[in-house]
Amino acid sequence: MIQRPRGTRDLLPPDTRLWQAVEGVARDVFGSFGGEEIRTPVFEPTELFVRSVGDSSDIVNKEMYTFPDRKGRSLSLRPEMTAGVARAWIENHLGDQSQPLRLYYIGPMFRYERMQHGRYRQFSQIGLEIIGADTPIADAELLASMHEFFLRLGFTDLEIHLNNLGDPEDRARYQAAIREALEPRRAELCSDCQRRLDENPLRILDCKVPACQVIAAGAPAMDELAGEASRRHVAEVEAQLQLLAIPYVRNRRLVRGLDYYLRTVFEVVSPQLGTNTVLCGGGRYDRLIADLGGPAVPGVGFAIGEDRLVEVLPARFRDAVLARSAVYVVPIGDAARARVLELARGWLRSGVPVELEITGRSLKSALKRADREGFRAVAMLGEDEMRGGTVTVRDLAGGSQSAIATADVPAWWRALPPAGERAGRAES
Ligand code: AMP
């Protein structure tokens, strides 16, 4: 039997309903304040990621799916989206449009990760980029809409961790300070971190090896070495978050695994999953577009890991989405079976979500199924009903049952009270 590649998943119903609902909220929230969707290719020239994400990053070093095409050009499956958005901005002259641009995306990313829970080789990200504004209020607006998105899904306990990465001019000083602090303990670091100590000491702060984390705790904090401009910038972002009553914590060790970030960086963690499990990461990248050969245009953005998000969705949202909101229409006998599709199509057209019994089940077995599957209501059509032009409808949440004219089904459905926790009628 052929199996799917390691690290990939089949998303099956009813979970796909959760994905659609989450994506619907994302489109709603991120499309609501001037946001527009962008879609870029899933593969790009390898060089794009080497020049943006950085050739000392784990993502580029170890995790990219890179292959030559038939003409020998090196291509890579995108491991993240910001680089592609920046490339598209330059290539399509999006700078000719009035700025800023607020661009959101939803789509698959690819990283050759070691197998572990919550880490996949194909995973989906939902992200937002604000390009063309370098003000702290742009960062705050971005964080506010991210916060709104999580609130709409029912999250109340997520933590935003925030840090100041400084400006690139500060970076060399900071790298030197980390190197100086950690050099005496070189031998205790993992082999990756020994290499990082020479190439990019900042990355050591991000290492997942527990021994390295202990050693990294002795490194100086970036904020102490950052220049005045970046400190003022991040302080203003914090002031805005406080005004908006969006809770956050300063995390001085937060660096992020991509090279292009500066000033504001942040992550969102779920205490339920532990602080090692990050649901969202982002930050400011004012030099990225220029580094890729475009003009000096600033940007700030984030990416939410959709797979993990769906795994930890609050129960209320989950239950409401998974509740079967339809009316299960059950024909009994040949006369009813002959006409049921026609009736059901009419109800559907009038806005009643119906699901037809089409396997020939008996009434008893159909009622059992209705209960098991959590349908909102059942509509039964037998010989008597066919003769009288009626249908027997049963409210499965309230338990009441009555015979109504087939033409009255839409009005009956609209009057049906919400079923509460058991079958909270999903928005239709
Ligand atoms: P990053 O681009 O590494 O900052 O990732 C942003 C978010 O995408 C993370 O916070 C995760 O939620 C998610 N993510 C990153 N890599 C993976 C992966 N291999 N599998 C599932 N989700 C991932």
Side-chain angles (χ1 to χ4, degrees):
M1 192 189 60
I2 298 174
Q3 295 182 328
R4 60 178 186 268
R6 271 172 78 81
T8 64
R9 308 199 289 157
D10 298 310
L11 299 176
L12 307 170
D15 281 359
T16 37
R17 262 195 270 164
L18 296 171
W19 285 69
Q20 288 179 344
V22 162
E23 289 167 12
V25 173
R27 287 178 201 286
D28 205 32
V29 174
F30 303 143
S32 71
F33 61 111
E36 301 265 15
E37 186 179 359
I38 184 165
R39 301 186 189 195
T40 62
V42 292
F43 56 89
E44 297 269 7
T46 302
E47 190 196 351
L48 173 67
F49 303 114
V50 172
R51 281 178 53 186
S52 55
V53 177
D55 53 8
S56 69
S57 66
D58 278 359
I59 294 177
V60 166
N61 249 323
K62 303 184 193 162
E63 298 172 358
M64 266 205 316
Y65 279 92
T66 297
F67 53 94
D69 73 3
R70 286 174 188 275
K71 290 268 168 61
R73 289 171 286 234
S74 180
L75 300 173
S76 293
L77 298 183
R78 61 185 187 195
E80 58 100 53
M81 188 73 173
T82 307
V85 171
R87 186 221 21 87
W89 193 96
I90 300 168
E91 189 168 346
N92 298 287
H93 310 288
L94 296 185
D96 295 348
Q97 298 182 17
S98 151
Q99 306 292 306
L101 294 179
R102 297 173 173 94
L103 302 170
Y104 74 87
Y105 60 84
I106 300 170
M109 309 295 152
F110 305 85
R111 293 183 196 172
Y112 196 95
E113 298 251 23
R114 260 195 331 210
M115 294 295 292
Q116 47 180 301
H117 184 69
R119 294 211 155 259
Y120 306 103
R121 291 182 178 168
Q122 174 175 337
F123 58 98
S124 183
Q125 287 186 337
I126 300 177
L128 174 66
E129 317 280 357
I130 302 181
I131 299 179
D134 64 1
T135 55
I137 203 157
D139 307 31
E141 184 192 63
L142 182 97
L143 284 161
S145 56
M146 178 194 82
H147 185 246
E148 176 70 21
F149 170 74
F150 283 122
L151 276 185
R152 287 268 303 268
L153 298 178
F155 285 101
T156 50
D157 62 345
L158 294 181
E159 287 175 3
I160 300 178
H161 288 205
L162 188 79
N163 195 18
N164 177 10
L165 263 197
D167 281 315
E169 296 75 50
D170 310 327
R171 196 70 53 86
R173 226 170 343 124
Y174 188 45
Q175 298 272 37
I178 303 176
R179 191 174 289 129
E180 197 185 309
L182 302 188
E183 184 61 51
R185 305 189 67 177
R186 175 184 282 271
E188 298 165 62
L189 293 167
C190 73
S191 59
D192 278 337
C193 281
Q194 294 191 10
R195 179 176 51 78
R196 290 174 183 137
L197 197 55
D198 298 320
E199 290 174 8
N200 190 350
L202 194 63
R203 279 279 140 64
I204 297 173
L205 305 191
D206 204 26
C207 184
K208 301 286 180 286
V209 177
C212 294
Q213 287 179 349
V214 172
I215 297 168
M222 180 66 201
D223 205 36
E224 289 157 14
L225 292 143
E228 177 61 20
S230 79
R231 268 201 271 181
R232 240 185 299 124
H233 182 99
V234 177
E236 182 57 28
V237 176
E238 289 186 60
Q240 288 291 327
L241 292 179
Q242 286 161 19
L243 266 177
L244 294 164
I246 296 176
Y248 68 93
V249 288
R250 265 312 278 264
N251 179 346
R252 300 166 135 244
R253 306 287 158 202
L254 181 68
V255 289
R256 312 277 300 117
L258 304 93
D259 270 355
Y260 49 66
Y261 288 123
L262 47 80
R263 298 194 175 187
T264 322
V265 287
F266 55 89
E267 288 183 346
V268 176
V269 301
S270 156
Q272 195 189 330
L273 296 177
T275 45
N276 273 339
T277 308
V278 181
L279 284 178
C280 170
R284 183 158 274 288
Y285 49 85
D286 292 350
R287 310 287 168 93
L288 174 62
I289 292 180
D291 286 348
L292 291 173
V297 175
V300 60
F302 63 72
I304 295 167
E306 194 177 359
D307 303 70
R308 291 184 201 168
L309 180 70
V310 169
E311 279 162 15
V312 296
L313 274 177
R316 241 187 114 81
F317 184 87
R318 220 188 142 78
D319 291 349
V321 171
L322 291 181
R324 258 208 153 88
S325 63
V327 182
Y328 188 33
V329 180
V330 185
I332 307 137
D334 290 343
R337 276 200 197 98
R339 301 295 304 280
V340 72
L341 182 58
E342 184 193 350
L343 280 168
R345 300 307 298 179
W347 293 330
L348 265 178
R349 233 174 271 135
S350 309
V352 185
V354 300
E355 192 176 315
L356 207 51
E357 161 45 46
I358 52 174
T359 63
R361 267 193 184 81
S362 69
L363 178 62
K364 190 168 159 217
S365 134
L367 288 176
K368 260 199 208 145
R369 172 165 190 259
D371 212 42
R372 202 173 51 234
E373 298 287 321
F375 279 100
R376 179 68 188 82
V378 185
M380 293 162 280
L381 278 163
E383 270 174 37
D384 291 350
E385 284 90 349
M386 288 311 296
R387 244 178 275 123
T390 62
V391 55
T392 299
V393 289
R394 183 185 295 180
D395 172 354
L396 287 177
S400 64
Q401 177 166 315
S402 56
I404 60 174
T406 53
D408 290 343
V409 166
W412 159 80
W413 169 252
R414 280 193 293 274
L416 213 55
E421 291 301 327
R422 178 174 175 253
R425 223 155 123 190
E427 301 276 308
S428 58

